[in-house]
Amino acid sequence: MELERKLYRIFFLCLLAARQSGAEITQDDTAAESDTSYFFYQDQSYPRDCKDIQNQCSTKNVTGAQVIQPNGYDVPFWVSCSGDWTVIQQRSDGLIDFNRGWAEYRDGFGFINGNHWLGNEKVAHLTNQKTYELRIDLETESGLTGFISYGNFRIIDEFSNYSLVSLGPSNIEHVVPWCPANMIPGECNRCIATCADPSGTVDCSNDCGDIQQTCICPPNYLMNGTNCIRQEDCGCYKEGRGVIADGISFVAADCSERCACSSGVLTCVSQSCDQDATCKEVNGVGNCSCNEGFEGDGLTCTSLRINRDCYDIMRYVSTESGEYSITPSGWTGGAFNVICNMTIDGGGWTVIQRRVLIPSRQDFNQDWDTYKSGFGSYSRGFWIGNEHIHHLTNQGDYELRIDMVNQNHSAYYAKYDLFRINAESDKYNMSGLGSFSGIAGYNALSYHHNEYFSTPDRDNDDLSSYDIADNNDSGWWYGYYYVCDLNSMYYDDAVGYWYYDDGAGDWYYDYLIYTEMKIRPSRTN
């Protein structure tokens, strides 16, 4: 409270201010007074007083030190402005001695933004430009405040000993009673700004009647019950925005936060726009808006276009590798997420299998239903699911690319210009496998063409006396042979194998530490 009381003293204790209240003084006006030809008019390069400054800055209240140059004064000088009032005296404590001589009262003394006397010569030039109103604001040591004003205030030059030649009528009959601490005199307003209604547009129950002046809250203070408090102390104050009205919510300009005021309590939660939305700022308030081709509230956006695979994603959504949602033609189970590789061989690849040799690697020894629906994660290894592969490869012609790294850390790939598997009713038969290309050394996958898919619990290979899938702890397309198996058990520090021809007549199983199978529409689609 003591700090707040001192704040009021700084601005309002025994403060005199002058502002324009009428037309400029004419020769006829001055003729009635003593000779004022000492004051001559000149072109202005500086504002003449604080009202001039306020008029130039109509969107904000001018406060603090400003530079002016009244008509006829030789040089510009600093004054303290309080809105359109030009402060000519301020005194709130004994730090500045006002027991001064003639010359100091003529030239002025003190500190512009503190206790000071502006100077009789400056006040004389100020008050002889126009008709000026004088207001004296007072505050008692206990914090009560009041004021009195005079309609016409003017002093003349040093030759006439700075005589007070005009004081005009006062508003003494309307002097406000001493205001309590934290309040100041001001014009009565039916609509009162409160913590719950900071704009003062709702609470308009105050009846001013014939009262023109009353006690009001000072700037940056709001009514809270019967007291004025700092707006920072209102329950719904937000730094940078001020006080939020009760029942109102807003989104930060960068859309990173949503705040709402309810019963004097401000609640803020973090948020972010959907990756397919844009944050748009209007008048300091943000709004997440879904991009063209998407719909939703901006926090969640769904594509109006049905993307069938990662090639569609690359063409219409993004060229960045990552996780996206697709819906293949004929798929009735709703959109599902896939990993898209947008960097290798032109991009647009939908990854259907990935294995890595890490301690927390995914176990590929799974049953028929698990291979059907899919399992794993991108970081640990995964199988997208036979149902997904079937629907993907039967909505058009798809090519297959297999990237591999062996135990010697040599990388190579195999590529087929056609890849397709049939439905579960046909045991996910690999019915389509096109021409082979690449640097994998041997067309190993061709030995699995037209073979059924097998798992440890579902033996569909061509051997009646031997269960290859159960032996390999794997799900794969087996016939009589298993020349490659990218889902086999982990052994000899490997995640699978590929039969390899080194070109020198040596054939061997090349054990792998990394595999990735991916598909995309054939270039002829």
Side-chain angles (χ1 to χ4, degrees):
M1 184 67 70
E2 184 62 24
L3 179 61
E4 295 169 342
R5 185 170 298 165
K6 289 180 179 177
L7 180 64
Y8 297 145
R9 289 177 183 170
I10 290 173
F11 287 107
F12 298 104
L13 180 59
C14 197
L15 178 148
L16 296 105
R19 68 174 179 181
Q20 302 169 16
S21 61
E24 293 189 6
I25 297 174
T26 65
Q27 290 183 348
D28 291 338
D29 294 328
T30 58
E33 307 292 348
S34 60
D35 183 18
T36 57
S37 60
Y38 171 81
F39 303 108
F40 59 91
Y41 290 90
Q42 62 183 23
D43 291 334
Q44 288 298 122
S45 58
Y46 289 90
R48 294 174 296 181
D49 52 28
C50 291
K51 186 173 180 65
D52 272 1
I53 298 175
Q54 182 67 43
N55 289 340
Q56 296 171 12
C57 307
S58 58
T59 59
K60 61 182 292 186
N61 201 38
V62 176
T63 59
Q66 305 289 336
V67 177
I68 67 170
Q69 185 177 8
N71 291 333
Y73 203 81
D74 291 339
V75 293
F77 55 85
W78 288 93
V79 296
S80 177
C81 293
S82 180
D84 55 3
W85 293 90
T86 304
V87 181
I88 62 174
Q89 187 256 29
Q90 183 171 323
R91 190 178 188 187
S92 60
D93 50 48
L95 296 179
I96 296 295
D97 186 5
F98 274 67
N99 183 13
R100 304 288 181 121
W102 177 267
E104 289 180 284
Y105 266 97
R106 178 192 63 202
D107 301 331
F109 56 84
F111 302 99
I112 286 298
N113 280 329
N115 298 326
H116 71 282
W117 177 258
L118 183 60
N120 289 335
E121 190 67 18
K122 297 181 180 72
V123 175
H125 278 80
L126 272 166
T127 59
N128 280 271
Q129 312 179 103
K130 291 175 179 264
T131 302
Y132 276 76
E133 177 184 1
L134 171 70
R135 171 174 168 138
I136 304 175
D137 284 272
L138 307 167
E139 181 182 354
T140 67
E141 190 172 356
S142 63
L144 299 177
T145 58
F147 77 93
I148 186 170
S149 64
Y150 298 89
N152 188 357
F153 170 69
R154 184 156 63 99
I155 69 172
I156 54 176
D157 58 17
E158 186 177 19
F159 180 79
S160 301
N161 296 321
Y162 299 117
S163 298
L164 179 61
V165 295
S166 177
L167 194 58
S170 74
N171 69 340
I172 191 67
E173 67 274 13
H174 297 302
V175 172
V176 179
W178 290 110
C179 293
N182 286 358
M183 301 189 81
I184 60 173
E187 296 181 0
C188 183
N189 192 332
R190 288 192 63 246
C191 301
I192 301 174
T194 66
C195 285
D197 178 27
S199 62
T201 58
V202 178
D203 186 7
C204 296
S205 59
N206 187 38
D207 186 7
C208 292
D210 295 332
I211 301 175
Q212 296 180 5
Q213 300 290 331
T214 187
C215 295
I216 62 172
C217 294
N220 300 319
Y221 278 66
L222 296 172
M223 287 295 297
N224 187 41
T226 58
N227 298 317
C228 291
I229 66 172
R230 298 184 311 162
Q231 65 174 1
E232 292 87 349
D233 295 330
C234 292
C236 289
Y237 175 80
K238 179 69 173 175
E239 184 71 29
R241 297 194 64 88
V243 179
I244 311 304
D246 202 60
I248 299 298
S249 63
F250 73 93
V251 176
D254 62 358
C255 298
S256 64
E257 185 179 54
R258 177 181 291 272
C259 298
C261 178
S262 177
S263 301
V265 178
L266 185 67
T267 303
C268 296
V269 294
S270 298
Q271 67 168 35
S272 60
C273 297
D274 188 89
Q275 64 177 1
D276 296 312
T278 302
C279 179
K280 299 179 180 179
E281 181 267 329
V282 179
N283 296 327
V285 177
N287 179 55
C288 294
S289 178
C290 292
N291 298 333
E292 184 178 355
F294 295 84
E295 62 179 358
D297 61 3
L299 300 179
T300 302
C301 299
T302 57
S303 176
L304 296 174
R305 173 185 172 80
I306 298 177
N307 296 304
R308 303 174 304 163
D309 51 32
C310 289
Y311 191 68
D312 278 357
I313 296 292
M314 184 178 70
R315 294 177 63 192
Y316 304 112
V317 179
S318 174
T319 58
E320 297 292 327
S321 296
E323 187 173 358
Y324 297 92
S325 179
I326 66 169
T327 305
S329 300
W331 178 261
T332 59
F336 57 88
N337 289 347
V338 295
I339 299 298
C340 296
N341 188 313
M342 304 298 193
T343 59
I344 291 179
D345 193 10
W349 296 96
T350 304
V351 182
I352 62 174
Q353 185 259 26
R354 186 174 190 268
R355 295 188 79 183
V356 287
L357 189 65
I358 58 175
S360 60
R361 54 188 175 265
Q362 171 67 44
D363 185 6
F364 274 65
N365 183 12
Q366 305 289 339
D367 61 19
W368 179 267
D369 289 338
T370 304
Y371 266 99
K372 172 182 175 180
S373 59
F375 57 87
S377 66
Y378 180 79
S379 60
R380 298 176 60 235
F382 72 91
W383 181 257
I384 195 175
N386 288 333
E387 273 299 297
H388 295 138
I389 298 173
H390 162 66
H391 279 84
L392 279 164
T393 59
N394 279 271
Q395 56 184 351
D397 289 341
Y398 276 72
E399 58 182 334
L400 169 69
R401 178 178 171 123
I402 305 172
D403 283 278
M404 297 166 277
V405 177
N406 65 17
Q407 291 175 317
N408 294 324
H409 298 281
S410 297
Y412 51 85
Y413 72 92
K415 191 172 179 181
Y416 297 88
D417 62 11
L418 178 66
F419 176 71
R420 178 180 292 119
I421 69 172
N422 291 348
E424 184 180 22
S425 59
D426 196 28
K427 305 172 187 177
Y428 298 121
N429 180 279
M430 189 193 295
S431 58
L433 187 68
S435 300
F436 165 79
S437 61
I439 56 174
Y442 188 66
N443 183 9
L445 192 60
S446 64
Y447 284 88
H448 302 263
H449 183 203
N450 285 321
E451 301 295 351
Y452 299 120
F453 198 84
S454 295
T455 58
D457 66 329
R458 192 77 63 91
D459 181 11
N460 295 319
D461 62 36
D462 294 335
L463 299 175
S464 59
S465 60
Y466 187 70
D467 187 344
I468 303 175
D470 185 53
N471 181 70
N472 282 13
D473 293 338
S474 172
W476 196 251
W477 295 273
Y478 299 116
Y480 287 105
Y481 310 98
Y482 42 103
V483 178
C484 67
D485 186 352
L486 305 184
N487 291 341
S488 69
M489 70 178 77
Y490 294 96
Y491 59 91
D492 291 336
D493 292 327
V495 299
Y497 55 86
W498 184 270
Y499 201 63
Y500 192 83
D501 175 10
D502 66 1
D506 292 328
W507 300 75
Y508 56 89
Y509 285 117
D510 201 14
Y511 290 99
L512 309 171
I513 61 172
Y514 169 84
T515 67
E516 185 175 276
M517 301 174 65
K518 40 196 168 285
I519 58 174
R520 73 178 173 194
S522 299
R523 296 300 187 184
T524 57
N525 276 10

